Amino acid sequence: MTVLTVQPDETPADEEPPDTGERHRLTALAGFAALSLDAMASVAYGPEAIVLVLAAAGAHGLGFTLPVTLAIAALLAVLVASYRQVIAAFPDGGGSYAVARTHLGARTSLVAAASLVLDYVLNVAVAVTAGVAALTSAFPRLYDDRLWLCLAVLVLVTGVNLRGIVESARAFVVPTVVFVGSIFVLIAVGLFRSAPVSTATADGHASALADNATSVGTLLLLKAFASGCSALTGVEAIANAVPSFRAPRVKRAQRAEVALGAVLGMMLIGLSVLISRFHLQPVQGVTVLAQLADASLGHNWAFYVIQFATMILLALSANTSFGGLPVLLKLLARDNYLPHVFALKADRQVHRHGVLALAAVSAALLVFSGGDTNTLVPLFAIGVFVGFTVAQVGMVRHWRGERGAGWRGKALLNGFGAVLTGVAAVVVTASKFEEGAWLIVITLPLLVLAFETVHRAYAHIGERLGLGRIPDPPHRDRSVVIVPVSSLTRLTSEALTAAASLGDEVRAVTVCYPDLEDRAHLHALEGAWAEWNPGVPLVRLTCDRRTLGRPIAAYVRDVSAAEPDTRVTVLIAEVEPVRLWQRLLQNQRGAVVAHAVRRDTDAVICRLRFRLF
């Protein structure tokens, strides 16, 4: 006889393996598409920000575009190398917040978290407004409706993310590939041209170049560097969302981070080379990227492909925030710095409350700015550089504490990065202070204060609940169940039956008013009650004022005071309508009573739903 042995860890053929949620997580490619849109789209405004600053020094100043871009690319390389280390050291995500929480203390970690929250929210608003601005530039008639278009795009991106991060990543793979491919084609073709093939886009537009050339000083170069650093926003997003990747999470996230840095660096340097090669000058009303596409590819279908790809990617780059911020909010909630609801997940591995909160705040920013990008851009890069600096300093302490193989080189890399990003944070704040950076300077400490207030509230709740301590053993108290009634119906019978099952003693109470009509109704109820004889006393509560909840709450207080060792429960019976619209027909008496009892007493409230079929 043959004996078949089934191993305990084998899954029977007719049963599906348990759903671990891995299919709702990201591969390296999907993570690159979902979480690098912000960084990829920044090439549409990063080089332009450099050019606009250097234009103040005339044509001579524009000659420094490539050196400034190379400095930014070097900083990008340092940041990518650093965040690869952050991913390995903190696989639960959180980026600079997780690093600071472990190595720099609670207050510093909250500063990092607040800066990241601001950056993520502003990224959504800037990305959406920039994408819609590209659309209204192509179709000027839509300009007056730009706010509604911004809100529509925000609703679209939010809806995609509520379906799950894998679904959102798949939706954004094609736009990302088209945009990156178009930019590399533009750069490759432009490198083989000695002069612009077309200047039709810039013709007829006023030049933004200064009339009188001035000397290029250190301050101007620092300001250009600070402005161009807006292209680095989004580099930290992958490190914040490591738990969203499939296993092995660390390796996949590191690959996505390196891919982001390599692609972004090559695009920034390539576009800057073309700016110098074509001696491009900024003009009003036309983006630098549009001029480069015109000069390299000509004013034809390829030009429009790049413009539409840029428009779509800018609008969708908000997805970076929807991938990173909910994970950060989850960590803050787990550490009791935000309401715990932000730590909950939906069935598609989505932190739904974080997604909705981000959408709501971003919508408020869009309404505040009127859908204007220039109102929001000055606030954009400050928060992320504060987070960068905190993360670098924290990683230096991490390596000093760990002292593993090659720790000195790793600490030196992070220390160098901390100096660079710290200087960038100071320069960006100083140069943009009057343009709106003061608002970030005020908001950051307010957010930290809010986090600490929530933390103290949870600490107080935990103390009152005795969290972490073994409670007293449960015991049985004598119980009285009070049932408010207003008429004699089947609902009354169901309520008394339930009450008799819950307590040792049941008392029905009804509120009486001095009006003749109400007194007549009371006499009729008392007569019907005596005839019914349910074995439960009916207590009359007289009240001069026409209120329902207060007399019942007062009676509950009197019972509790007279019988201090008795557990008092108020059972409120309510009808559950068949259809939703029938709720409008209810008198809400149960809600009124429950509110008064909850506010004025410590009684247990039990709400009985009587379903109508």
Side-chain angles (χ1 to χ4, degrees), residues 423-449:
V423 170
V426 173
V427 172
V428 171
T429 304
S431 62
K432 303 291 185 181
F433 190 82
E434 294 183 356
E435 301 176 41
W438 61 269
L439 184 61
I440 300 298
V441 174
I442 293 175
T443 305
L444 267 175
L446 289 178
L447 270 178
V448 173
L449 179 62

Side-chain angles (χ1 to χ4, degrees), residues 574-588:
E574 299 173 291
V575 172
E576 182 76 20
V578 178
R579 303 184 185 279
L580 183 63
W581 67 267
Q582 292 176 337
R583 294 180 184 272
L584 299 174
L585 306 179
Q586 293 180 293
N587 55 26
Q588 304 301 323

Side-chain angles (χ1 to χ4, degrees), residues 10-24:
E10 290 183 355
T11 303
D14 59 342
E15 294 185 11
E16 295 183 0
D19 184 7
T20 61
E22 286 297 304
R23 65 189 182 91
H24 293 298

Side-chain angles (χ1 to χ4, degrees), residues 532-566:
W532 182 35
N533 191 22
V536 174
L538 178 63
V539 180
R540 178 196 301 183
L541 305 178
T542 59
C543 182
D544 295 334
R545 300 173 57 186
R546 197 163 194 85
T547 179
L548 179 63
R550 290 181 181 177
I552 295 177
Y555 179 73
V556 171
R557 288 198 304 270
D558 292 341
V559 173
S560 298
E563 305 176 49
D565 295 330
T566 299

Side-chain angles (χ1 to χ4, degrees), residues 46 49-54 56 68 72 217-230 423-424 427-428 430-433 435:
I50 299 172
V51 169
L52 288 175
V53 173
L54 295 177
V68 171
I72 293 173
T218 303
L219 183 60
L220 184 67
L221 291 177
L222 284 175
K223 189 174 182 179
F225 175 80
S227 297
C229 280
S230 60
V423 170
V427 172
V428 171
S431 62
K432 303 291 185 181
F433 190 82
E435 301 176 41

